[in-house]
Amino acid sequence: MTTQPPPHGNQPPYGRQPPPPLPPATAQPGFGPPPPQYTYAPTAPPPQAGGPEFMAVDRHNSIVVDTQGVAFEDHGMSVDFPWQEIRSVHYKAHPSGKALMVAVVLPDGRFYECAVEAKPRARLGEWFAQLSAVLGYYRPAGW
């Protein structure tokens, strides 16, 4: 009886493979630099109390921007984003032109959006002007 080569030549088979062996430890425990400590430090000082506020509300949703940060409410569910936890805030008109859309981006890349319907439609322009001024106050560098 003859032995046949594996079906893939010298390649290992697909699927789960055992992990490679660990390299031998060369450093003694307790020596070397300490492990990194990851803490988030805000890059801007906290805003002063009594700053400007922005609020957009419809029958289901709301967006609030104030000294504390940004808050969304969407059909009864609410979430607050303190300024120290926000990387950036973006806003635009809904493709229909009937709503304001605001997105909060966190340092880890996650983002959250909320849309508020503008009735009458002219209110959307007012919201853009107000929101721009308020975000400019809390985020003067545009972040």
Side-chain angles (χ1 to χ4, degrees):
M1 188 158 139
T2 63
T3 46
Q4 296 182 356
H8 303 289
N10 291 335
Q11 299 294 321
Y14 292 108
R16 293 185 177 247
Q17 300 294 318
L22 296 175
T26 57
Q28 296 177 359
F31 289 94
Q37 298 292 323
Y38 297 102
T39 57
Y40 178 73
T43 56
Q48 299 294 324
E53 297 178 350
F54 170 80
M55 182 185 307
V57 180
D58 67 14
R59 60 189 173 140
H60 296 292
N61 304 334
S62 68
I63 299 167
V64 177
V65 180
D66 60 13
T67 59
Q68 302 300 311
V70 179
F72 292 159
E73 184 170 332
D74 189 348
H75 291 82
M77 301 291 291
S78 62
V79 62
D80 296 323
F81 303 99
W83 288 118
Q84 294 82 6
E85 296 177 9
I86 296 174
R87 180 168 66 183
S88 60
V89 179
H90 306 274
Y91 60 95
K92 67 178 184 177
H94 188 273
S96 69
K98 296 180 182 180
L100 169 68
M101 297 175 62
V102 176
V104 171
V105 181
L106 303 181
D108 63 4
R110 291 181 295 156
F111 67 94
Y112 297 85
E113 292 181 323
C114 187
V116 176
E117 191 174 345
K119 284 191 177 180
R121 195 178 248 187
R123 183 170 292 155
L124 188 60
E126 297 170 14
W127 283 346
F128 276 126
Q130 293 170 2
L131 185 55
S132 176
V134 172
L135 289 176
Y137 179 84
Y138 293 114
R139 300 292 188 151
W143 45 272

